[in-house]
Amino acid sequence: MRDRIAVITLTNERRRNSLTVAMVDQFIAAVDAAEANDGIGAIVITGAGEAFCAGADLRHLVGAASADGRAEESLRSIYAAFQRLHACALPTIAAVNGPAVGAGMNLALVCDVLLAAEEALFATRFLELGLHPGGGHTWLLSRLVGPQAANALVLLGEDVDGERARELGLVFECVPGDQLMPRALELAAKACVAPRGVAERAKASIREAAAFTDYGPAIENEITKQLWSAQQDEFQSRIAARMAPSKR
């Protein structure tokens, strides 16, 4: 933990941080621990070494091809990492330091904000393997870049680096590699300024906003949360501090 920020680093450098079931279990436990810790206000996800995550360990894809009834279980064991991070109540930032491939790209896509190093690489690679995308990949990608860019990345197999990902709206910012973690921590620290309960509710409202087709329901969705926040001691103390007469 760094100043209320939990940094979760994928560490399987020999396989370019490919996800195994054991890693998924450890990852979920780390997210659970961060969410359960009232002192944590944001989570940063990154990869050890030169890769972010090269996808699911190929042994699990081979397991998905079996005909013994465990194929779905094999896939879902990897999906659990994306699902847990997507469900996390805390603000999450992906610091994509290198290749994010297939399932590894999913792990970045479920974060609230994506940052990329210039040397980052986003590659779906599912169709190249003769495999249909999984883990909600097409939904996650389309909602960020739109159908045309999603088609190019998935159907045409286009890979994009950090700067091109920024141009497409796939990532919020692209920075030199040595600035990636400092910038990720800087943004995560900003998420920690708000009272945690307010940040969690604001994140939920942003997620819920996509379901509204009119302004009125959006107002109604926010008002109860805004009233709740206005009644909290933290808001009262911050407002009192701002309204206090200047000593100058």
Side-chain angles (χ1 to χ4, degrees), residues 121-157:
L121 180 75
F122 295 87
T124 73
R125 299 286 167 85
F126 288 103
L127 271 63
E128 182 180 314
L129 292 173
L131 185 69
H132 190 283
H137 186 80
T138 55
W139 181 80
L140 292 165
L141 186 57
S142 295
R143 65 191 276 272
L144 281 178
V145 302
Q148 181 165 240
N151 286 337
L153 270 64
V154 175
L155 301 180
L156 308 185

PDB file of all heavy atoms in Angstrom, residues 121-157:
ATOM      1  N   LEU A 121       1.309  -2.476 -25.697  1.00  0.00           N
ATOM      2  CA  LEU A 121       0.740  -3.074 -26.913  1.00  0.00           C
ATOM      3  C   LEU A 121      -0.581  -3.713 -26.542  1.00  0.00           C
ATOM      4  O   LEU A 121      -0.650  -4.509 -25.607  1.00  0.00           O
ATOM      5  CB  LEU A 121       1.680  -4.134 -27.494  1.00  0.00           C
ATOM      6  CG  LEU A 121       1.171  -4.821 -28.769  1.00  0.00           C
ATOM      7  CD1 LEU A 121       1.297  -3.875 -29.960  1.00  0.00           C
ATOM      8  CD2 LEU A 121       1.930  -6.117 -29.026  1.00  0.00           C
ATOM      9  N   PHE A 122      -1.631  -3.356 -27.270  1.00  0.00           N
ATOM     10  CA  PHE A 122      -2.942  -3.953 -27.056  1.00  0.00           C
ATOM     11  C   PHE A 122      -3.250  -4.853 -28.239  1.00  0.00           C
ATOM     12  O   PHE A 122      -3.277  -4.395 -29.387  1.00  0.00           O
ATOM     13  CB  PHE A 122      -4.009  -2.866 -26.915  1.00  0.00           C
ATOM     14  CG  PHE A 122      -3.833  -2.011 -25.687  1.00  0.00           C
ATOM     15  CD1 PHE A 122      -3.007  -0.889 -25.719  1.00  0.00           C
ATOM     16  CD2 PHE A 122      -4.465  -2.337 -24.496  1.00  0.00           C
ATOM     17  CE1 PHE A 122      -2.822  -0.099 -24.595  1.00  0.00           C
ATOM     18  CE2 PHE A 122      -4.289  -1.559 -23.357  1.00  0.00           C
ATOM     19  CZ  PHE A 122      -3.464  -0.438 -23.412  1.00  0.00           C
ATOM     20  N   ALA A 123      -3.480  -6.131 -27.956  1.00  0.00           N
ATOM     21  CA  ALA A 123      -3.692  -7.108 -29.017  1.00  0.00           C
ATOM     22  C   ALA A 123      -4.732  -8.120 -28.571  1.00  0.00           C
ATOM     23  O   ALA A 123      -4.590  -8.723 -27.513  1.00  0.00           O
ATOM     24  CB  ALA A 123      -2.373  -7.820 -29.347  1.00  0.00           C
ATOM     25  N   THR A 124      -5.788  -8.301 -29.367  1.00  0.00           N
ATOM     26  CA  THR A 124      -6.814  -9.257 -28.956  1.00  0.00           C
ATOM     27  C   THR A 124      -6.342 -10.693 -29.176  1.00  0.00           C
ATOM     28  O   THR A 124      -6.493 -11.530 -28.280  1.00  0.00           O
ATOM     29  CB  THR A 124      -8.137  -9.002 -29.699  1.00  0.00           C
ATOM     30  OG1 THR A 124      -8.019  -9.412 -31.050  1.00  0.00           O
ATOM     31  CG2 THR A 124      -8.553  -7.546 -29.616  1.00  0.00           C
ATOM     32  N   ARG A 125      -5.844 -11.000 -30.363  1.00  0.00           N
ATOM     33  CA  ARG A 125      -5.216 -12.290 -30.702  1.00  0.00           C
ATOM     34  C   ARG A 125      -6.137 -13.506 -30.615  1.00  0.00           C
ATOM     35  O   ARG A 125      -5.685 -14.625 -30.879  1.00  0.00           O
ATOM     36  CB  ARG A 125      -3.978 -12.545 -29.830  1.00  0.00           C
ATOM     37  CG  ARG A 125      -2.885 -11.506 -29.996  1.00  0.00           C
ATOM     38  CD  ARG A 125      -2.142 -11.647 -31.309  1.00  0.00           C
ATOM     39  NE  ARG A 125      -1.317 -10.489 -31.585  1.00  0.00           N
ATOM     40  CZ  ARG A 125      -0.078 -10.319 -31.130  1.00  0.00           C
ATOM     41  NH1 ARG A 125       0.487 -11.243 -30.368  1.00  0.00           N
ATOM     42  NH2 ARG A 125       0.597  -9.241 -31.451  1.00  0.00           N
ATOM     43  N   PHE A 126      -7.391 -13.339 -30.233  1.00  0.00           N
ATOM     44  CA  PHE A 126      -8.276 -14.508 -30.124  1.00  0.00           C
ATOM     45  C   PHE A 126      -8.435 -15.208 -31.474  1.00  0.00           C
ATOM     46  O   PHE A 126      -8.242 -16.412 -31.592  1.00  0.00           O
ATOM     47  CB  PHE A 126      -9.652 -14.088 -29.593  1.00  0.00           C
ATOM     48  CG  PHE A 126      -9.672 -13.715 -28.136  1.00  0.00           C
ATOM     49  CD1 PHE A 126      -9.720 -12.381 -27.753  1.00  0.00           C
ATOM     50  CD2 PHE A 126      -9.644 -14.687 -27.154  1.00  0.00           C
ATOM     51  CE1 PHE A 126      -9.747 -12.025 -26.414  1.00  0.00           C
ATOM     52  CE2 PHE A 126      -9.671 -14.346 -25.810  1.00  0.00           C
ATOM     53  CZ  PHE A 126      -9.720 -13.010 -25.444  1.00  0.00           C
ATOM     54  N   LEU A 127      -8.810 -14.429 -32.498  1.00  0.00           N
ATOM     55  CA  LEU A 127      -9.072 -15.033 -33.797  1.00  0.00           C
ATOM     56  C   LEU A 127      -7.816 -15.622 -34.418  1.00  0.00           C
ATOM     57  O   LEU A 127      -7.877 -16.607 -35.156  1.00  0.00           O
ATOM     58  CB  LEU A 127      -9.719 -14.020 -34.745  1.00  0.00           C
ATOM     59  CG  LEU A 127     -11.257 -13.973 -34.698  1.00  0.00           C
ATOM     60  CD1 LEU A 127     -11.763 -13.524 -33.329  1.00  0.00           C
ATOM     61  CD2 LEU A 127     -11.825 -13.072 -35.792  1.00  0.00           C
ATOM     62  N   GLU A 128      -6.679 -15.040 -34.110  1.00  0.00           N
ATOM     63  CA  GLU A 128      -5.412 -15.579 -34.618  1.00  0.00           C
ATOM     64  C   GLU A 128      -5.187 -17.004 -34.128  1.00  0.00           C
ATOM     65  O   GLU A 128      -4.585 -17.834 -34.819  1.00  0.00           O
ATOM     66  CB  GLU A 128      -4.266 -14.670 -34.158  1.00  0.00           C
ATOM     67  CG  GLU A 128      -2.894 -15.066 -34.647  1.00  0.00           C
ATOM     68  CD  GLU A 128      -1.824 -14.122 -34.144  1.00  0.00           C
ATOM     69  OE1 GLU A 128      -2.033 -12.897 -34.215  1.00  0.00           O
ATOM     70  OE2 GLU A 128      -0.771 -14.613 -33.667  1.00  0.00           O
ATOM     71  N   LEU A 129      -5.712 -17.295 -32.933  1.00  0.00           N
ATOM     72  CA  LEU A 129      -5.600 -18.644 -32.378  1.00  0.00           C
ATOM     73  C   LEU A 129      -6.730 -19.553 -32.848  1.00  0.00           C
ATOM     74  O   LEU A 129      -6.759 -20.736 -32.507  1.00  0.00           O
ATOM     75  CB  LEU A 129      -5.621 -18.588 -30.843  1.00  0.00           C
ATOM     76  CG  LEU A 129      -4.425 -17.943 -30.153  1.00  0.00           C
ATOM     77  CD1 LEU A 129      -4.680 -17.818 -28.660  1.00  0.00           C
ATOM     78  CD2 LEU A 129      -3.158 -18.745 -30.409  1.00  0.00           C
ATOM     79  N   GLY A 130      -7.668 -18.986 -33.615  1.00  0.00           N
ATOM     80  CA  GLY A 130      -8.848 -19.758 -33.996  1.00  0.00           C
ATOM     81  C   GLY A 130      -9.856 -19.847 -32.869  1.00  0.00           C
ATOM     82  O   GLY A 130     -10.682 -20.760 -32.827  1.00  0.00           O
ATOM     83  N   LEU A 131      -9.811 -18.883 -31.956  1.00  0.00           N
ATOM     84  CA  LEU A 131     -10.642 -18.901 -30.753  1.00  0.00           C
ATOM     85  C   LEU A 131     -11.552 -17.682 -30.734  1.00  0.00           C
ATOM     86  O   LEU A 131     -11.118 -16.564 -31.009  1.00  0.00           O
ATOM     87  CB  LEU A 131      -9.738 -18.889 -29.510  1.00  0.00           C
ATOM     88  CG  LEU A 131     -10.396 -19.022 -28.142  1.00  0.00           C
ATOM     89  CD1 LEU A 131     -10.974 -20.426 -27.969  1.00  0.00           C
ATOM     90  CD2 LEU A 131      -9.368 -18.724 -27.040  1.00  0.00           C
ATOM     91  N   HIS A 132     -12.819 -17.901 -30.392  1.00  0.00           N
ATOM     92  CA  HIS A 132     -13.741 -16.778 -30.249  1.00  0.00           C
ATOM     93  C   HIS A 132     -13.355 -15.954 -29.017  1.00  0.00           C
ATOM     94  O   HIS A 132     -12.942 -16.509 -27.999  1.00  0.00           O
ATOM     95  CB  HIS A 132     -15.180 -17.294 -30.094  1.00  0.00           C
ATOM     96  CG  HIS A 132     -16.223 -16.233 -30.176  1.00  0.00           C
ATOM     97  ND1 HIS A 132     -16.481 -15.372 -29.131  1.00  0.00           N
ATOM     98  CD2 HIS A 132     -17.050 -15.869 -31.184  1.00  0.00           C
ATOM     99  CE1 HIS A 132     -17.433 -14.534 -29.482  1.00  0.00           C
ATOM    100  NE2 HIS A 132     -17.796 -14.805 -30.728  1.00  0.00           N
ATOM    101  N   PRO A 133     -13.489 -14.622 -29.079  1.00  0.00           N
ATOM    102  CA  PRO A 133     -13.207 -13.809 -27.885  1.00  0.00           C
ATOM    103  C   PRO A 133     -14.057 -14.250 -26.697  1.00  0.00           C
ATOM    104  O   PRO A 133     -15.183 -14.732 -26.867  1.00  0.00           O
ATOM    105  CB  PRO A 133     -13.582 -12.388 -28.328  1.00  0.00           C
ATOM    106  CG  PRO A 133     -13.467 -12.413 -29.814  1.00  0.00           C
ATOM    107  CD  PRO A 133     -13.889 -13.794 -30.237  1.00  0.00           C
ATOM    108  N   GLY A 134     -13.534 -14.069 -25.509  1.00  0.00           N
ATOM    109  CA  GLY A 134     -14.256 -14.465 -24.296  1.00  0.00           C
ATOM    110  C   GLY A 134     -14.045 -13.488 -23.172  1.00  0.00           C
ATOM    111  O   GLY A 134     -13.271 -12.527 -23.277  1.00  0.00           O
ATOM    112  N   GLY A 135     -14.741 -13.719 -22.079  1.00  0.00           N
ATOM    113  CA  GLY A 135     -14.603 -12.875 -20.908  1.00  0.00           C
ATOM    114  C   GLY A 135     -15.236 -11.506 -21.064  1.00  0.00           C
ATOM    115  O   GLY A 135     -14.893 -10.569 -20.357  1.00  0.00           O
ATOM    116  N   GLY A 136     -16.186 -11.385 -22.014  1.00  0.00           N
ATOM    117  CA  GLY A 136     -16.825 -10.091 -22.256  1.00  0.00           C
ATOM    118  C   GLY A 136     -15.969  -9.161 -23.090  1.00  0.00           C
ATOM    119  O   GLY A 136     -16.209  -7.947 -23.122  1.00  0.00           O
ATOM    120  N   HIS A 137     -14.989  -9.711 -23.806  1.00  0.00           N
ATOM    121  CA  HIS A 137     -14.020  -8.902 -24.541  1.00  0.00           C
ATOM    122  C   HIS A 137     -14.690  -7.950 -25.535  1.00  0.00           C
ATOM    123  O   HIS A 137     -14.346  -6.760 -25.589  1.00  0.00           O
ATOM    124  CB  HIS A 137     -13.050  -9.827 -25.284  1.00  0.00           C
ATOM    125  CG  HIS A 137     -11.929  -9.116 -25.963  1.00  0.00           C
ATOM    126  ND1 HIS A 137     -10.814  -8.679 -25.295  1.00  0.00           N
ATOM    127  CD2 HIS A 137     -11.757  -8.756 -27.268  1.00  0.00           C
ATOM    128  CE1 HIS A 137      -9.986  -8.086 -26.148  1.00  0.00           C
ATOM    129  NE2 HIS A 137     -10.538  -8.121 -27.345  1.00  0.00           N
ATOM    130  N   THR A 138     -15.628  -8.447 -26.328  1.00  0.00           N
ATOM    131  CA  THR A 138     -16.242  -7.603 -27.358  1.00  0.00           C
ATOM    132  C   THR A 138     -17.056  -6.477 -26.737  1.00  0.00           C
ATOM    133  O   THR A 138     -17.071  -5.353 -27.251  1.00  0.00           O
ATOM    134  CB  THR A 138     -17.127  -8.435 -28.306  1.00  0.00           C
ATOM    135  OG1 THR A 138     -18.110  -9.157 -27.534  1.00  0.00           O
ATOM    136  CG2 THR A 138     -16.296  -9.451 -29.073  1.00  0.00           C
ATOM    137  N   TRP A 139     -17.730  -6.737 -25.616  1.00  0.00           N
ATOM    138  CA  TRP A 139     -18.524  -5.704 -24.935  1.00  0.00           C
ATOM    139  C   TRP A 139     -17.612  -4.661 -24.316  1.00  0.00           C
ATOM    140  O   TRP A 139     -17.825  -3.449 -24.464  1.00  0.00           O
ATOM    141  CB  TRP A 139     -19.392  -6.362 -23.859  1.00  0.00           C
ATOM    142  CG  TRP A 139     -20.275  -5.407 -23.109  1.00  0.00           C
ATOM    143  CD1 TRP A 139     -21.468  -4.899 -23.512  1.00  0.00           C
ATOM    144  CD2 TRP A 139     -20.024  -4.852 -21.808  1.00  0.00           C
ATOM    145  NE1 TRP A 139     -21.997  -4.059 -22.549  1.00  0.00           N
ATOM    146  CE2 TRP A 139     -21.125  -4.010 -21.490  1.00  0.00           C
ATOM    147  CE3 TRP A 139     -18.997  -4.980 -20.881  1.00  0.00           C
ATOM    148  CZ2 TRP A 139     -21.215  -3.303 -20.291  1.00  0.00           C
ATOM    149  CZ3 TRP A 139     -19.079  -4.273 -19.685  1.00  0.00           C
ATOM    150  CH2 TRP A 139     -20.178  -3.455 -19.405  1.00  0.00           C
ATOM    151  N   LEU A 140     -16.577  -5.112 -23.620  1.00  0.00           N
ATOM    152  CA  LEU A 140     -15.648  -4.189 -22.980  1.00  0.00           C
ATOM    153  C   LEU A 140     -14.976  -3.284 -24.003  1.00  0.00           C
ATOM    154  O   LEU A 140     -14.848  -2.070 -23.799  1.00  0.00           O
ATOM    155  CB  LEU A 140     -14.578  -4.977 -22.215  1.00  0.00           C
ATOM    156  CG  LEU A 140     -15.038  -5.746 -20.979  1.00  0.00           C
ATOM    157  CD1 LEU A 140     -13.973  -6.757 -20.555  1.00  0.00           C
ATOM    158  CD2 LEU A 140     -15.359  -4.799 -19.829  1.00  0.00           C
ATOM    159  N   LEU A 141     -14.548  -3.862 -25.108  1.00  0.00           N
ATOM    160  CA  LEU A 141     -13.821  -3.105 -26.121  1.00  0.00           C
ATOM    161  C   LEU A 141     -14.736  -2.130 -26.854  1.00  0.00           C
ATOM    162  O   LEU A 141     -14.397  -0.956 -27.030  1.00  0.00           O
ATOM    163  CB  LEU A 141     -13.170  -4.084 -27.104  1.00  0.00           C
ATOM    164  CG  LEU A 141     -12.234  -3.500 -28.157  1.00  0.00           C
ATOM    165  CD1 LEU A 141     -11.105  -2.713 -27.493  1.00  0.00           C
ATOM    166  CD2 LEU A 141     -11.665  -4.626 -29.022  1.00  0.00           C
ATOM    167  N   SER A 142     -15.916  -2.594 -27.256  1.00  0.00           N
ATOM    168  CA  SER A 142     -16.840  -1.756 -28.023  1.00  0.00           C
ATOM    169  C   SER A 142     -17.284  -0.534 -27.247  1.00  0.00           C
ATOM    170  O   SER A 142     -17.450   0.550 -27.816  1.00  0.00           O
ATOM    171  CB  SER A 142     -18.065  -2.562 -28.455  1.00  0.00           C
ATOM    172  OG  SER A 142     -17.700  -3.588 -29.350  1.00  0.00           O
ATOM    173  N   ARG A 143     -17.476  -0.686 -25.949  1.00  0.00           N
ATOM    174  CA  ARG A 143     -17.961   0.449 -25.155  1.00  0.00           C
ATOM    175  C   ARG A 143     -16.906   1.537 -25.030  1.00  0.00           C
ATOM    176  O   ARG A 143     -17.238   2.698 -24.788  1.00  0.00           O
ATOM    177  CB  ARG A 143     -18.419  -0.016 -23.760  1.00  0.00           C
ATOM    178  CG  ARG A 143     -17.339  -0.567 -22.887  1.00  0.00           C
ATOM    179  CD  ARG A 143     -17.885  -1.244 -21.635  1.00  0.00           C
ATOM    180  NE  ARG A 143     -18.152  -0.298 -20.568  1.00  0.00           N
ATOM    181  CZ  ARG A 143     -17.241   0.080 -19.657  1.00  0.00           C
ATOM    182  NH1 ARG A 143     -16.006  -0.407 -19.733  1.00  0.00           N
ATOM    183  NH2 ARG A 143     -17.562   0.930 -18.718  1.00  0.00           N
ATOM    184  N   LEU A 144     -15.641   1.203 -25.218  1.00  0.00           N
ATOM    185  CA  LEU A 144     -14.576   2.201 -25.137  1.00  0.00           C
ATOM    186  C   LEU A 144     -14.253   2.822 -26.495  1.00  0.00           C
ATOM    187  O   LEU A 144     -14.073   4.037 -26.594  1.00  0.00           O
ATOM    188  CB  LEU A 144     -13.303   1.576 -24.560  1.00  0.00           C
ATOM    189  CG  LEU A 144     -13.248   1.379 -23.056  1.00  0.00           C
ATOM    190  CD1 LEU A 144     -11.941   0.704 -22.658  1.00  0.00           C
ATOM    191  CD2 LEU A 144     -13.381   2.702 -22.319  1.00  0.00           C
ATOM    192  N   VAL A 145     -14.181   2.013 -27.534  1.00  0.00           N
ATOM    193  CA  VAL A 145     -13.680   2.519 -28.818  1.00  0.00           C
ATOM    194  C   VAL A 145     -14.732   2.538 -29.916  1.00  0.00           C
ATOM    195  O   VAL A 145     -14.470   3.042 -31.010  1.00  0.00           O
ATOM    196  CB  VAL A 145     -12.454   1.709 -29.292  1.00  0.00           C
ATOM    197  CG1 VAL A 145     -11.349   1.757 -28.255  1.00  0.00           C
ATOM    198  CG2 VAL A 145     -12.825   0.254 -29.596  1.00  0.00           C
ATOM    199  N   GLY A 146     -15.921   1.989 -29.662  1.00  0.00           N
ATOM    200  CA  GLY A 146     -16.948   1.945 -30.690  1.00  0.00           C
ATOM    201  C   GLY A 146     -16.799   0.721 -31.578  1.00  0.00           C
ATOM    202  O   GLY A 146     -15.767   0.040 -31.564  1.00  0.00           O
ATOM    203  N   PRO A 147     -17.837   0.430 -32.387  1.00  0.00           N
ATOM    204  CA  PRO A 147     -17.834  -0.813 -33.168  1.00  0.00           C
ATOM    205  C   PRO A 147     -16.768  -0.877 -34.253  1.00  0.00           C
ATOM    206  O   PRO A 147     -16.210  -1.937 -34.511  1.00  0.00           O
ATOM    207  CB  PRO A 147     -19.242  -0.866 -33.764  1.00  0.00           C
ATOM    208  CG  PRO A 147     -19.745   0.546 -33.714  1.00  0.00           C
ATOM    209  CD  PRO A 147     -19.114   1.150 -32.501  1.00  0.00           C
ATOM    210  N   GLN A 148     -16.477   0.250 -34.919  1.00  0.00           N
ATOM    211  CA  GLN A 148     -15.526   0.172 -36.027  1.00  0.00           C
ATOM    212  C   GLN A 148     -14.123  -0.182 -35.553  1.00  0.00           C
ATOM    213  O   GLN A 148     -13.464  -1.076 -36.101  1.00  0.00           O
ATOM    214  CB  GLN A 148     -15.497   1.480 -36.814  1.00  0.00           C
ATOM    215  CG  GLN A 148     -14.535   1.438 -37.981  1.00  0.00           C
ATOM    216  CD  GLN A 148     -14.746   2.564 -38.966  1.00  0.00           C
ATOM    217  OE1 GLN A 148     -15.031   2.339 -40.134  1.00  0.00           O
ATOM    218  NE2 GLN A 148     -14.626   3.796 -38.484  1.00  0.00           N
ATOM    219  N   ALA A 149     -13.646   0.512 -34.518  1.00  0.00           N
ATOM    220  CA  ALA A 149     -12.315   0.199 -33.998  1.00  0.00           C
ATOM    221  C   ALA A 149     -12.287  -1.197 -33.378  1.00  0.00           C
ATOM    222  O   ALA A 149     -11.297  -1.923 -33.507  1.00  0.00           O
ATOM    223  CB  ALA A 149     -11.893   1.242 -32.970  1.00  0.00           C
ATOM    224  N   ALA A 150     -13.387  -1.590 -32.720  1.00  0.00           N
ATOM    225  CA  ALA A 150     -13.456  -2.943 -32.160  1.00  0.00           C
ATOM    226  C   ALA A 150     -13.366  -3.984 -33.272  1.00  0.00           C
ATOM    227  O   ALA A 150     -12.685  -5.004 -33.129  1.00  0.00           O
ATOM    228  CB  ALA A 150     -14.745  -3.122 -31.364  1.00  0.00           C
ATOM    229  N   ASN A 151     -14.040  -3.713 -34.390  1.00  0.00           N
ATOM    230  CA  ASN A 151     -13.950  -4.623 -35.541  1.00  0.00           C
ATOM    231  C   ASN A 151     -12.513  -4.746 -36.035  1.00  0.00           C
ATOM    232  O   ASN A 151     -12.033  -5.849 -36.347  1.00  0.00           O
ATOM    233  CB  ASN A 151     -14.834  -4.115 -36.685  1.00  0.00           C
ATOM    234  CG  ASN A 151     -16.308  -4.319 -36.428  1.00  0.00           C
ATOM    235  OD1 ASN A 151     -16.694  -5.175 -35.636  1.00  0.00           O
ATOM    236  ND2 ASN A 151     -17.145  -3.530 -37.078  1.00  0.00           N
ATOM    237  N   ALA A 152     -11.820  -3.613 -36.109  1.00  0.00           N
ATOM    238  CA  ALA A 152     -10.444  -3.633 -36.599  1.00  0.00           C
ATOM    239  C   ALA A 152      -9.533  -4.426 -35.674  1.00  0.00           C
ATOM    240  O   ALA A 152      -8.696  -5.211 -36.125  1.00  0.00           O
ATOM    241  CB  ALA A 152      -9.927  -2.205 -36.770  1.00  0.00           C
ATOM    242  N   LEU A 153      -9.717  -4.227 -34.370  1.00  0.00           N
ATOM    243  CA  LEU A 153      -8.849  -4.916 -33.418  1.00  0.00           C
ATOM    244  C   LEU A 153      -9.149  -6.407 -33.341  1.00  0.00           C
ATOM    245  O   LEU A 153      -8.236  -7.229 -33.266  1.00  0.00           O
ATOM    246  CB  LEU A 153      -8.971  -4.280 -32.024  1.00  0.00           C
ATOM    247  CG  LEU A 153      -7.999  -3.123 -31.728  1.00  0.00           C
ATOM    248  CD1 LEU A 153      -8.245  -1.929 -32.629  1.00  0.00           C
ATOM    249  CD2 LEU A 153      -8.090  -2.707 -30.261  1.00  0.00           C
ATOM    250  N   VAL A 154     -10.445  -6.752 -33.356  1.00  0.00           N
ATOM    251  CA  VAL A 154     -10.823  -8.162 -33.193  1.00  0.00           C
ATOM    252  C   VAL A 154     -10.805  -8.911 -34.528  1.00  0.00           C
ATOM    253  O   VAL A 154     -10.132  -9.936 -34.672  1.00  0.00           O
ATOM    254  CB  VAL A 154     -12.214  -8.284 -32.535  1.00  0.00           C
ATOM    255  CG1 VAL A 154     -12.642  -9.746 -32.477  1.00  0.00           C
ATOM    256  CG2 VAL A 154     -12.189  -7.694 -31.129  1.00  0.00           C
ATOM    257  N   LEU A 155     -11.545  -8.398 -35.509  1.00  0.00           N
ATOM    258  CA  LEU A 155     -11.717  -9.135 -36.769  1.00  0.00           C
ATOM    259  C   LEU A 155     -10.501  -9.047 -37.680  1.00  0.00           C
ATOM    260  O   LEU A 155     -10.166 -10.003 -38.381  1.00  0.00           O
ATOM    261  CB  LEU A 155     -12.952  -8.623 -37.512  1.00  0.00           C
ATOM    262  CG  LEU A 155     -14.279  -8.728 -36.753  1.00  0.00           C
ATOM    263  CD1 LEU A 155     -15.423  -8.184 -37.609  1.00  0.00           C
ATOM    264  CD2 LEU A 155     -14.563 -10.165 -36.345  1.00  0.00           C
ATOM    265  N   LEU A 156      -9.854  -7.892 -37.697  1.00  0.00           N
ATOM    266  CA  LEU A 156      -8.696  -7.708 -38.570  1.00  0.00           C
ATOM    267  C   LEU A 156      -7.380  -7.986 -37.861  1.00  0.00           C
ATOM    268  O   LEU A 156      -6.326  -8.004 -38.497  1.00  0.00           O
ATOM    269  CB  LEU A 156      -8.676  -6.280 -39.133  1.00  0.00           C
ATOM    270  CG  LEU A 156      -9.966  -5.793 -39.812  1.00  0.00           C
ATOM    271  CD1 LEU A 156      -9.747  -4.418 -40.418  1.00  0.00           C
ATOM    272  CD2 LEU A 156     -10.441  -6.783 -40.865  1.00  0.00           C
ATOM    273  N   GLY A 157      -7.445  -8.157 -36.554  1.00  0.00           N
ATOM    274  CA  GLY A 157      -6.232  -8.467 -35.807  1.00  0.00           C
ATOM    275  C   GLY A 157      -5.259  -7.314 -35.691  1.00  0.00           C
ATOM    276  O   GLY A 157      -4.047  -7.517 -35.529  1.00  0.00           O
TER     277      GLY A 157
END
